Amino acid sequence: MEQQLIEMEKKPNMLAFKTAVAYAVYFLVLIFLFKFLGINTNDPNLSMAEKIVSSALTYVPFILAVTYVQYTHRLELGGYITFGRAFSAGFKVAAYTGLFVAFMLIIYYKLLDTKAFDDVMNVAIDAAGDDENQVKGVEMMRPYMVFFIAFSAAVAYTFFGLVISLIGASVLKRAKPLDEY
């Protein structure tokens, strides 16, 4: 009964929200850091080492953010958490992060660095090659491409966070022993 009261009082929403905002700000800073270092993550000729480093710097902190919220919420609940509760806490981080990263990407490409958006479009046109229909399609998508990129990032972070939340919940779940009820 006591555990149920604690679970009703303690919600991971605000912690998940703050963690997602912090990660989204980190993501924006990381974009500028890559730009400062001359690493263009949209370049198809990016070296394998740069791909590994950029992926690690992007996704490892995200994984840590999801598991941090799950673990912290478990501590708030007295050290015990169900699988469903841990999954829910982690998935909230993933959903919020997807939303905030999408918002940051729109701000970045529309306001902070419009030249970066032109570079993305040039890479897409180069990838289309000599096929006039593909080039025409890329040009037709230009006004909507920022939103497509943002939506794709939101879906990718949410889906990746779903997987991380499932794994984290299965590792962090801890049932309260029967003799403590």
Side-chain angles (χ1 to χ4, degrees):
M1 185 67 159
E2 181 183 327
Q3 183 69 22
Q4 290 174 342
L5 290 175
I6 291 173
E7 286 183 14
M8 288 175 58
E9 291 176 7
K10 304 283 184 181
K11 302 283 186 195
N13 296 345
M14 189 52 71
L15 180 62
F17 185 85
K18 289 177 183 178
T19 304
V21 167
Y23 179 80
V25 170
Y26 165 80
F27 182 80
L28 187 63
V29 169
L30 188 63
I31 290 172
F32 282 111
L33 178 67
F34 286 156
K35 185 173 181 73
F36 176 74
L37 295 174
I39 299 172
N40 182 3
T41 56
N42 296 317
D43 184 9
N45 300 323
L46 196 65
S47 73
M48 185 58 73
E50 289 174 332
K51 286 180 185 178
I52 291 170
V53 168
S54 67
S55 294
L57 288 175
T58 302
Y59 294 112
V60 169
F62 177 66
I63 293 167
L64 293 175
V66 171
T67 54
Y68 166 76
V69 169
Q70 289 175 320
Y71 182 74
T72 303
H73 188 53
R74 184 176 91 175
L75 293 178
E76 288 176 344
L77 295 175
Y80 303 107
I81 194 166
T82 63
F83 176 85
R85 189 82 178 205
F87 170 74
S88 175
F91 186 70
K92 286 175 184 174
V93 176
Y96 288 148
T97 300
L99 178 70
F100 296 140
V101 164
F103 183 67
M104 289 291 187
L105 284 170
I106 291 171
I107 289 173
Y108 176 71
Y109 285 128
K110 287 284 193 181
L111 300 174
L112 300 176
D113 192 2
T114 56
K115 185 183 176 305
F117 178 68
D118 292 335
D119 292 342
V120 168
M121 292 306 295
N122 290 337
V123 167
I125 289 171
D126 289 344
D130 295 333
D131 188 355
E132 290 180 29
N133 288 334
Q134 285 185 352
V135 172
K136 188 176 179 180
V138 169
E139 287 300 328
M140 287 175 54
M141 280 294 293
R142 183 177 286 274
Y144 313 107
M145 189 61 81
V146 170
F147 302 107
F148 180 73
I149 292 169
F151 178 76
S152 298
V155 169
Y157 270 95
T158 304
F159 182 74
F160 184 61
L162 173 105
V163 173
I164 298 304
S165 297
L166 286 170
I167 295 168
S170 65
V171 170
L172 292 173
K173 70 178 178 184
R174 183 181 294 168
K176 191 170 187 173
L178 292 176
D179 61 344
E180 291 187 27
Y181 278 99

